[in-house]
Amino acid sequence: MRYAIGVDLGGTKTAAGVVDAAGKVLFQKQMATLNRDGGEAILDATAALVSGLRNEAAAVGLEISAVGMGSAGVIDADRGAVISATDAILGWAGTRIADGLSARLGLPGGCVKVINDVHAHAIGEDWLGAGAGSSSTLMMAFGTGVGGSFVVAGRPLLGHRFVGGHVGHFASSYAVAADGSPLDCSCGHRGHVEAIASGPALHALYLRNGGDSRAVDTRQVFARASAGDPVALASVQTSARAAGQAVGGLGNVLDPEVVVVSGGLADAGALWWDEMTAAAAEELMPPLAGLRIVRATLGNTAAIVGAATLVL
């Protein structure tokens, strides 16, 4: 059986695991991403993480000669390089991940492959998770940001410039302030889905609506909503409906067999989920009335598994 190491590099943590050809994660490690230290320092730390796993694998007789990575940022999958990235990881844009890791690990060219982390997540869910057995999977992730991927016959559609999957960056009728002006989005534009349907956007909406300033994060907004706080409840419902509108709208455009929804908001409970799916159903065209919208099932291993498939 063949084995590979899959790496999931995000803005706050980097996880990696040894994966077999059946998609089973045999063992894994994680560390904090050195997101203030620049690309070379991140590559050094990631190579050390991978080397540790290779040594563990070797100790039980498993040879690892290839690495797949899902990375935050817009990734040129052909060159294994970061085209652009947000300030969540300083100095990451321009980093040649595949070349840098190959050199550090002593692997020949072509043995390290890289893709965007949400695409890696989607590949994992499409193969072994909630999308298993489907011909096409639209995955949408609602958490710190809003991202996604459309996987057809096991392959994600990356786009001509590798920007495919940025599903948080189209217009949302919900992304407006009380005076009707569009909300600022993290991408530098205004009025996008991410500006209302991400976790931080939900928290900001609650505070704008006059919520208790002692609620310091989205989790506390959900706690207040569950306890009956009307401002928190309305904020969760608005943000969830914006997410559902986006899910339904993209369903109309792409006509996937299944939609897989992941991220912290998807796991926050029925209050968000039920509102989101109801809004999606209202948005869908009649032929799509039976479209399955399901929660992701692989959790933190999805991107590790998906990344490993790049080289398995």
Side-chain angles (χ1 to χ4, degrees):
M1 181 176 284
R2 298 177 63 201
Y3 304 90
I5 290 177
V7 181
D8 176 19
L9 190 149
T12 56
K13 71 174 183 179
T14 300
V18 174
V19 182
D20 68 20
K24 182 179 180 180
V25 180
L26 303 180
F27 35 89
Q28 60 183 301
K29 293 177 177 288
Q30 73 175 50
M31 65 179 185
T33 301
L34 303 180
N35 55 29
R36 305 292 92 182
D37 296 350
E40 294 303 308
I42 293 171
L43 289 179
D44 288 342
T46 303
L49 181 68
V50 171
S51 293
L53 284 169
R54 290 179 79 189
N55 292 337
E56 285 191 35
V60 294
L62 307 181
E63 181 180 355
I64 308 294
S65 58
V67 177
M69 177 188 283
S71 168
V74 177
I75 306 299
D76 180 334
D78 292 340
R79 297 187 302 120
V82 186
I83 297 172
S84 67
T86 69
D87 287 344
I89 308 180
L90 291 179
W92 195 227
T95 302
R96 299 179 66 89
I97 300 173
D99 290 346
L101 281 184
S102 293
R104 287 166 170 81
L105 296 170
L107 295 174
C111 290
V112 177
K113 294 188 181 297
V114 189
I115 202 169
N116 169 266
D117 56 345
V118 181
H119 286 309
H121 189 153
I123 295 170
E125 286 289 344
D126 178 75
W127 181 26
L128 296 174
S134 66
S135 60
S136 59
T137 300
L138 170 62
M139 198 197 80
M140 297 187 68
F142 297 93
T144 303
V146 177
S149 179
F150 188 39
V151 182
V152 179
R155 301 187 65 174
L157 302 186
L158 303 181
H160 182 69
R161 299 167 185 82
F162 301 102
V163 183
H166 280 73
V167 300
H169 301 290
F170 65 96
S172 170
S173 61
Y174 289 91
V176 293
D179 63 2
S181 61
L183 297 172
D184 291 336
C185 184
S186 64
C187 68
H189 295 288
R190 307 182 76 194
H192 288 175
V193 174
E194 190 171 287
I196 188 66
S198 69
L202 194 166
H203 178 246
L205 174 64
Y206 172 71
L207 296 179
R208 283 199 310 276
N209 287 345
D212 188 345
S213 60
R214 291 174 297 179
V216 297
D217 58 23
T218 310
R219 183 176 283 109
Q220 292 189 17
V221 176
F222 273 99
R224 284 164 166 74
S226 297
D229 178 337
V231 177
L233 182 60
S235 300
V236 170
Q237 290 173 335
T238 297
S239 186
R241 290 194 68 81
Q245 182 189 58
V247 169
L250 286 171
N252 290 337
V253 172
L254 299 172
D255 188 15
E257 183 173 346
V258 62
V259 178
V260 176
V261 183
S262 70
L265 296 180
D267 295 332
L271 186 61
W272 185 91
W273 184 266
D274 292 348
E275 199 71 37
M276 183 275 294
T277 52
E282 292 171 12
E283 195 75 16
L284 290 169
M285 296 170 64
L288 291 166
L291 177 62
R292 287 192 301 130
I293 302 174
V294 298
R295 287 185 181 87
T297 59
L298 293 186
N300 293 333
T301 65
I304 292 174
V305 170
T309 68
L310 300 176
V311 292
L312 280 172

